Amino acid sequence: MQDRQIIATKVALVTGAARRIGAEIAETLHTAGMNVVLHYHTSQQEAESLSAKLNKKRSDSAIFLQADLTQMTALNELVSQAAAKWGSLDVLVNNASEFYTTELSQVTVAEWDDLMSCNLKAPFFLSLAARPYLKMQKGCIVNIADIHGERPMRDYSIYCISKAGLMMVTKALAKELGPDVRVNAVSPGAIMWPEGENSLTEKVKQKIIERTALQRAGAANEIAKAVLYLVRDADYVTGQVLAVDGGRSLLI
């Protein structure tokens, strides 16, 4: 009970929080009692809507901030704005990510730079920007990785490389930032199917589910609950990558 009371005084910055898994993480941390800073890049309407929803539940408990995380000059400003609202920053969730195919016969340097900048460079330098605030609060960082950072997918090589790098960022920063700041990662499997140009056919989806030990796709709230565990309940856990994949990585 004491831990659940303490979390109500904390502030979390969640990147890519306007929709999908990021929105679920933000809402779960908010339900647990935290104030949340919803970062978005282009999804302003969704960020505004989620912020309004959370503030309706608990007044003055959520704000939304825009930033292009590929622009390094924006990172310090995002962190300082997030910390300024309630006077502290306790949790950083590096969720924002780009995902698209990069077939080797057509891959470009621009695609490499884009995926690496958003999925790897931004979380690393955003974590460094947040470090002074997190250190004061004995806070934590949670990175959202991917099981394919360990087992690559065909035609997604750069994405997989970027997520493999994020896993190493998790371990390296856990060693560098301890004992003041804990750093962990959640590594999703088949949680939310890709949208738009990267959407999968029903046949492909079924094939993925068949190669998952629990024989079903996961849900966004299952990732969010893992993040909440690492934030609230895992006081002696750092440098770990928690796979939440229904056993997919056992059979992949």
Side-chain angles (χ1 to χ4, degrees):
M1 181 62 70
Q2 185 180 10
D3 287 345
R4 292 173 186 269
Q5 291 172 343
I6 290 173
I7 200 173
T9 67
K10 296 184 182 297
V11 178
L13 167 59
V14 182
T15 66
R19 52 197 300 272
R20 292 172 62 86
I21 289 175
E24 190 73 33
I25 292 169
E27 190 160 2
T28 296
L29 296 178
H30 182 269
T31 298
M34 299 189 73
N35 291 341
V36 294
V37 179
L38 311 171
H39 158 265
Y40 73 96
H41 181 204
T42 59
S43 302
Q44 180 176 347
Q45 183 175 349
E46 292 92 337
E48 287 186 22
S49 177
L50 179 57
S51 180
K53 176 184 177 181
L54 299 181
N55 282 316
K56 187 175 181 180
K57 290 182 178 180
R58 193 171 72 249
S59 178
D60 193 34
S61 60
I63 61 170
F64 56 95
L65 297 174
Q66 193 278 338
D68 179 354
L69 300 183
T70 66
Q71 301 301 311
M72 293 298 103
T73 56
L75 302 184
N76 284 332
E77 181 65 18
L78 175 61
V79 169
S80 62
Q81 286 182 326
K85 170 60 179 176
W86 292 287
S88 66
L89 182 63
D90 302 85
V91 177
L92 170 63
V93 181
N94 284 309
N95 166 75
S97 180
E98 288 281 0
F99 174 82
Y100 52 82
T101 58
T102 50
E103 297 180 26
L104 293 185
S105 61
Q106 303 175 33
V107 68
T108 66
V109 173
E111 290 171 332
W112 172 277
D113 290 343
D114 180 51
L115 285 164
M116 288 296 178
S117 183
C118 182
N119 296 359
L120 182 57
K121 185 178 180 181
F124 178 78
F125 283 101
L126 194 61
S127 296
L128 296 190
R131 177 187 181 184
Y133 302 97
L134 298 176
K135 183 177 181 179
M136 284 190 292
Q137 301 298 116
K138 299 291 184 180
C140 68
I141 298 168
V142 181
N143 297 317
I144 304 303
D146 192 303
I147 61 170
H148 292 292
E150 295 184 295
R151 296 169 177 81
M153 291 184 291
R154 182 178 295 276
D155 296 331
Y156 289 87
S157 58
I158 299 177
Y159 170 81
C160 295
I161 293 166
S162 72
K163 289 298 184 176
L166 187 57
M167 292 180 180
M168 181 51 69
V169 164
T170 300
K171 296 175 182 180
L173 288 185
K175 192 170 186 177
E176 295 275 1
L177 302 186
D180 299 309
V181 180
R182 294 184 299 109
V183 187
N184 292 291
V186 175
S187 186
I191 299 296
M192 296 187 76
W193 302 117
E195 298 175 335
E197 295 180 358
N198 292 294
S199 60
L200 306 176
T201 66
E202 291 303 317
K203 183 177 181 180
V204 171
K205 291 178 185 178
Q206 187 56 40
K207 184 177 180 180
I208 291 172
I209 290 172
E210 287 173 356
R211 294 187 62 79
T212 301
L214 296 185
Q215 292 289 290
R216 66 173 177 86
N221 73 311
E222 290 169 310
I223 298 301
K225 287 188 290 187
V227 172
L228 179 60
Y229 159 71
L230 291 172
V231 168
R232 186 182 65 188
D233 302 319
D235 293 342
Y236 199 57
V237 178
T238 194
Q240 300 304 304
V241 179
L242 175 60
V244 181
D245 65 354
R248 165 75 170 156
S249 52
L250 299 173
L251 305 172
I252 200 166

